[in-house]
Amino acid sequence: QVQLVESGGGLVQAGGSLRLTCAASGNLFSISTMAWHRQAPGKERELVASITSTGSTTYLESVKGRFTISRDISKKTVYLQMNGLKHEDTAVYYCRQSRSGRPDYWGQGTQVTVSP
């Protein structure tokens, strides 16, 4: 059974930075794609960034150049460094682990609030 625990959210002023952390349990971390999604009030959940088992990354267009996803396989942890935060980045951020042929796993979410 995989468990994902996010941390690092909080309240920050526009232009500030936060680093989100997602700690995973289980044995599939090194061969899984890890991703961060977010959901703002009244909006659908969207993919923010992902990193594959080989280290390839993708980003939502609106966060390119500001957010960086990375992983530490030895710690079974994935990070999302968020710089230059904007009010529109306010959302609950979720960590997801996925592997072909297996169900996705989600964390409980961490709130990020960016004041204008």
Side-chain angles (χ1 to χ4, degrees):
Q1 183 72 13
V2 172
Q3 288 188 322
L4 304 174
V5 179
E6 301 105 331
S7 61
L11 173 64
V12 64
Q13 290 185 334
S17 298
L18 284 174
R19 188 176 81 155
L20 304 184
T21 298
C22 173
S25 64
N27 300 318
L28 300 178
F29 183 84
S30 63
I31 57 173
S32 297
T33 292
M34 301 299 298
W36 288 96
H37 294 248
R38 67 187 182 188
Q39 187 166 19
K43 295 187 177 181
E44 293 188 354
R45 191 173 296 189
E46 62 181 355
L47 174 64
V48 176
S50 66
I51 184 166
T52 68
S53 60
T54 58
S56 296
T57 58
T58 60
Y59 294 94
L60 181 69
E61 189 64 33
S62 62
V63 308
K64 285 182 179 179
R66 299 188 297 122
F67 291 10
T68 302
I69 188 170
S70 61
R71 65 196 293 168
D72 185 330
I73 293 176
S74 66
K75 295 182 179 180
K76 296 183 182 179
T77 300
V78 62
Y79 306 96
L80 184 68
Q81 178 67 44
M82 305 186 294
N83 299 327
L85 282 161
K86 304 176 181 180
H87 179 61
E88 50 264 42
D89 295 319
T90 295
V92 178
Y93 283 70
Y94 298 91
C95 178
R96 174 176 64 89
Q97 179 175 307
S98 61
R99 174 71 180 165
S100 179
R102 293 180 179 268
D104 289 351
Y105 295 96
W106 292 86
Q108 82 287 351
T110 185
Q111 176 70 47
V112 171
T113 302
V114 184
S115 60

